[in-house]
Amino acid sequence: MRSSTVLFAFVTVAVFAVFTGVGAAQEDVYVRGSGSGEVVGNPDLEVVVSEGVLTPGEENVVEFHILNEGSIRRSGPPEYVDRVTTARATTVEFTSRNDGIEVVTAKKPVGDVPPGATGPFEVRLDVDEGIDAGTYGLSARVEYDYTRIVEYGDTSSMSDIREDERQRVELRVRNDARFDASARTGTRIGESGDVTVALHNTGEGTARDATVRAVSPDGSMRFDGATNASVDAGDVPSGEAVGTELPVSFSRDTNLRPRPIDLRVMYEDRRGVDRVARTTASVSPEQEQRFSLRNVEARLRAGGVGRVSGEVVSLGGDVEDVVLKGVGDRFEIRGDGVALGDMSGNGTRRFSFRISSPVGVVSEVPFVVEPAYTRDGDRYVADELRFDARVDETRDAFGVTAVEGEAVVGPGAETDVVFELTSRLDDPVSNVSVGAESGEPVEIEYTEAFVGDVEPNGSAEVVFVVDAESDATTRPYPASFTVRYTDSTGETLTTNSVARLEVAEGEGSARYENLILLGVVAALLIGLGWWVYGRDMIGG
């Protein structure tokens, strides 16, 4: 109770003691229904704070009541006594002249306040983190209406007054635990890791069984996938610091700048009362893991299988199990990707893709790959890498031509024809075999020949026996060749080629006529020799 209220009560008691007889006479004179009289009195209001203890660094909710010790100077019927002692349309407005305390709540309407206690009501105060411990005063402006005099009888009249008074309310900022915080992390943008939060108790009290609750107001930072996380910090004595770790992740679109963390420290003070302190920290992620391409070469032809090769550079820390995978639908990349293994910061690895190029595309086409990697057991995907790959015109992998021009066969004859197989590839190949096919009346016998290895742009000869029927018309006939080979990646591929077989009159028969002629000449020579030498031998 305020000192003025105590003094007022003391004076009232003294006056009451002096005028006891008069008061009694007035009460004795008044008899219900006796006719007329006058009631005089007023409310006597006091704003009382239930627990005026403030916590720095947060918004405090303070409860208050209004006590009404109504004063009666001339009594009368109870309804008139209530009338003159009740405050009506009451409002309370708090203001602060302290730099460290700001009143958040506006004027508070509390309505009628009869004798006794009314409440509780709330007022919100924003208390600075750096405010000194001690006692602080707020001004409470109390406004209300009341009836000062009621005259009753055959007619009655009342005298109403608007009261405006100011009172002082004392609050105390306790010298308890307070916190400064800092945070650090080695986690990269686009990855998951830990953030270490250091709490330093700058107050005088020990925070017992402290729990730290971290909240991320920034959507690009998460704690184990959520916007908040909690961790036990134990006891934090005055003047000491403790470190706690929280799981953290940064999205791939996070900027390289500090991210705020709102911290609430929930603890027990030295009296065993639960308290909450607020503070903030900020943490900056590390630069994201990136890769780049260099020395990239593309050997591609429309509608064919080619190769894109080059080097990948790791622009970051050590990573494991790096794999390049093709993305997009412009190229068909053979296999599940290229495994590069582990890479150190600024390290390089060679890569090579086997690629099927789209038919009809002869231009610069974006070649896009996506690096994936592992760090600390977690798998991540880095930003895509692009390279404009030139796709050249279609060209068969192998060409087949007859040696010394077109292959010539005579009607009704078999001829050994030599063909030259020429590689148009930029890589060596192995297990090369050539299959040949032609239809009647010119047929190729023994339709497959094994070649073996062929160097880039190298050539080899293959021989096929060609049989032309006797009624074959003298004109060119097509022969189809299928070349099967194994490329440097171990993939078996095939390509097709076409050559011409020329049927020409006399080419084949001359060959056999010469053989017959040689046979006749040989027989004649043998016979002549027998006639000359054999006869002498018999005669001798």
Side-chain angles (χ1 to χ4, degrees):
M1 182 178 296
R2 297 171 305 165
S3 58
S4 59
T5 304
V6 175
L7 179 61
F8 180 80
F10 176 78
V11 173
T12 302
V13 172
V15 172
F16 179 80
V18 174
F19 295 96
T20 301
V22 176
Q26 289 178 339
E27 290 297 329
D28 291 342
V29 170
Y30 170 70
V31 178
R32 180 176 293 277
S34 60
S36 63
E38 185 179 71
V39 177
V40 180
N42 62 275
D44 186 6
L45 304 186
E46 180 182 7
V47 178
V48 179
V49 174
S50 302
E51 182 183 358
V53 179
L54 303 179
T55 301
E58 61 182 78
E59 185 179 273
N60 291 251
V61 177
V62 178
E63 289 187 347
F64 68 92
H65 291 75
I66 299 179
L67 301 183
N68 183 1
E69 300 177 349
S71 175
I72 296 295
R73 290 186 293 277
R74 186 175 298 170
S75 187
E79 62 271 22
Y80 298 138
V81 172
D82 290 341
R83 177 75 186 186
V84 298
T85 56
T86 297
R88 301 184 302 279
T90 306
T91 61
V92 180
E93 183 178 12
F94 291 90
T95 56
S96 172
R97 294 184 178 179
N98 306 290
D99 293 337
I101 301 176
E102 179 183 356
V103 179
V104 179
T105 305
K107 182 185 291 186
K108 192 85 172 181
V110 298
D112 293 347
V113 182
T118 302
F121 306 101
E122 291 184 351
V123 59
R124 295 182 176 271
L125 306 174
D126 194 359
V127 183
D128 286 350
E129 172 66 27
I131 193 171
D132 294 331
T135 301
Y136 294 84
L138 294 183
S139 175
R141 181 180 183 181
V142 184
E143 297 180 272
Y144 58 91
D145 296 331
Y146 76 98
T147 301
R148 186 172 65 87
I149 300 174
V150 177
E151 295 180 351
Y152 62 93
D154 294 337
T155 61
S156 61
S157 62
M158 300 182 184
S159 177
D160 291 341
I161 294 177
R162 181 66 177 173
E163 185 70 21
D164 184 349
E165 60 183 54
R166 295 182 182 273
Q167 302 180 18
R168 177 181 171 84
V169 177
E170 290 188 349
L171 303 173
R172 182 169 57 88
V173 176
R174 64 169 175 264
N175 199 0
D176 211 337
R178 303 184 188 181
F179 297 95
D180 287 336
S182 61
R184 59 182 176 82
T185 185
T187 305
R188 294 180 176 273
I189 293 173
E191 298 183 12
S192 300
D194 295 317
V195 57
T196 300
V197 178
L199 285 175
H200 184 204
N201 185 353
T202 60
E204 295 186 1
T206 296
R208 296 186 175 92
D209 296 328
T211 298
V212 181
R213 181 178 178 83
V215 178
S216 171
D218 190 330
S220 63
M221 181 175 66
R222 287 287 184 269
F223 302 108
D224 200 17
T227 58
N228 60 80
S230 297
V231 62
D232 294 333
D235 295 343
V236 187
S238 174
E240 296 188 13
V242 297
T244 59
E245 283 193 351
L246 294 166
V248 70
S249 61
F250 298 96
S251 64
R252 292 180 62 179
D253 58 356
T254 303
N255 294 324
L256 193 64
R257 62 177 178 81
R259 301 290 163 178
I261 304 175
D262 295 335
L263 299 168
R264 297 181 63 183
V265 185
M266 294 160 281
Y267 65 96
E268 286 187 1
D269 65 12
R270 54 193 172 191
R271 295 175 297 276
V273 179
D274 291 335
R275 301 295 183 188
V276 178
R278 290 179 172 85
T279 186
T280 59
S282 63
V283 63
S284 297
E286 296 289 330
Q287 177 69 51
E288 73 270 21
Q289 174 68 41
R290 295 176 295 121
F291 296 88
S292 67
L293 299 178
R294 71 183 185 187
N295 300 328
V296 181
E297 295 181 357
R299 288 174 290 184
L300 305 173
R301 292 192 179 275
V305 178
R307 184 184 301 276
V308 172
S309 59
E311 293 179 333
V312 176
V313 183
S314 173
L315 304 177
D318 295 345
V319 291
E320 303 169 351
D321 300 329
V322 180
V323 175
L324 288 185
K325 290 189 176 182
V327 296
D329 55 1
R330 301 303 300 272
F331 295 103
E332 178 187 350
I333 298 179
R334 302 295 182 91
D336 296 329
V338 177
L340 304 179
D342 300 342
M343 297 184 68
S344 60
N346 298 317
T348 61
R349 287 286 188 275
R350 291 285 303 173
F351 72 91
S352 181
F353 282 99
R354 294 288 291 167
I355 296 175
S356 295
S357 302
V359 177
V361 176
V362 181
S363 63
E364 296 280 347
V365 179
F367 170 71
V368 185
V369 293
E370 189 176 64
Y373 64 95
T374 298
R375 196 196 309 272
D376 297 331
D378 293 323
R379 195 69 177 164
Y380 304 104
V381 176
D383 290 337
E384 295 177 351
L385 306 176
R386 294 176 176 268
F387 168 77
D388 288 336
R390 173 70 185 178
V391 180
D392 295 324
E393 295 180 353
T394 302
R395 185 178 68 176
D396 292 334
F398 285 89
V400 180
T401 57
V403 175
E404 298 180 357
E406 299 178 347
V408 180
V409 197
E414 285 186 351
T415 305
D416 292 336
V417 179
V418 180
F419 294 92
E420 185 178 50
L421 175 71
T422 303
S423 171
R424 296 169 180 166
L425 299 172
D426 298 318
D427 296 315
V429 293
S430 59
N431 300 323
V432 179
S433 62
V434 182
E437 181 181 359
S438 64
E440 295 180 353
V442 178
E443 294 185 276
I444 297 178
E445 299 181 358
Y446 309 107
T447 56
E448 187 168 4
F450 182 76
V451 176
D453 299 338
V454 178
E455 294 299 316
N457 301 311
S459 61
E461 291 185 348
V462 291
V463 178
F464 288 100
V465 177
V466 180
D467 183 10
E469 296 180 1
S470 59
D471 59 351
T473 305
T474 56
R475 65 175 180 82
Y477 289 87
S480 299
F481 296 88
T482 300
V483 183
R484 183 184 298 271
Y485 61 96
T486 302
D487 68 6
S488 57
T489 65
E491 185 175 2
T492 299
L493 304 171
T494 59
T495 186
N496 298 314
S497 184
V498 177
R500 292 199 310 167
L501 296 172
E502 183 76 21
V503 176
E505 193 68 46
E507 291 292 338
S509 59
R511 173 185 176 190
Y512 290 100
E513 288 172 357
N514 291 335
L515 290 175
I516 295 171
L517 180 59
L518 288 175
V520 171
V521 171
L524 289 174
L525 289 175
I526 292 172
L528 181 60
W530 173 259
W531 184 78
V532 174
Y533 296 103
R535 187 180 59 178
D536 291 340
M537 291 176 65
I538 294 173

